[in-house]
Amino acid sequence: MLYVKNVPGFERVLRVAAGIAAAVLAMLFLAAPLSWMAAASAIGISLTGLFGFCPACAMVGRRLKD
């Protein structure tokens, strides 16, 4: 494996749900260029939940307790 998971299970679920909700809301309520940028960043949040790895958390040294 190329990375060590640093996002706990409950937070992974929250990240996926919040990312999907933010992407949907961005597409519904924002104007065209801004909506695509906001939806893309929301999908990035969802991907951190799906993979269980957050690069920003890794930079500050966050690790899961074994």
Side-chain angles (χ1 to χ4, degrees):
M1 187 181 307
L2 298 175
Y3 61 90
V4 177
K5 292 186 180 188
N6 61 0
V7 180
F10 71 92
E11 189 176 335
R12 291 177 69 183
V13 173
L14 289 175
R15 284 177 185 239
V16 170
I20 292 171
V24 169
L25 290 173
M27 295 305 286
L28 289 176
F29 294 112
L30 295 176
L34 186 59
S35 67
W36 288 102
M37 289 187 294
S41 64
I43 290 171
I45 293 170
S46 294
L47 288 175
T48 63
L50 287 174
F51 291 127
F53 177 75
C54 177
C57 293
M59 286 193 301
V60 296
R62 182 178 185 191
R63 297 184 187 272
L64 292 178
K65 294 178 184 175
D66 292 331

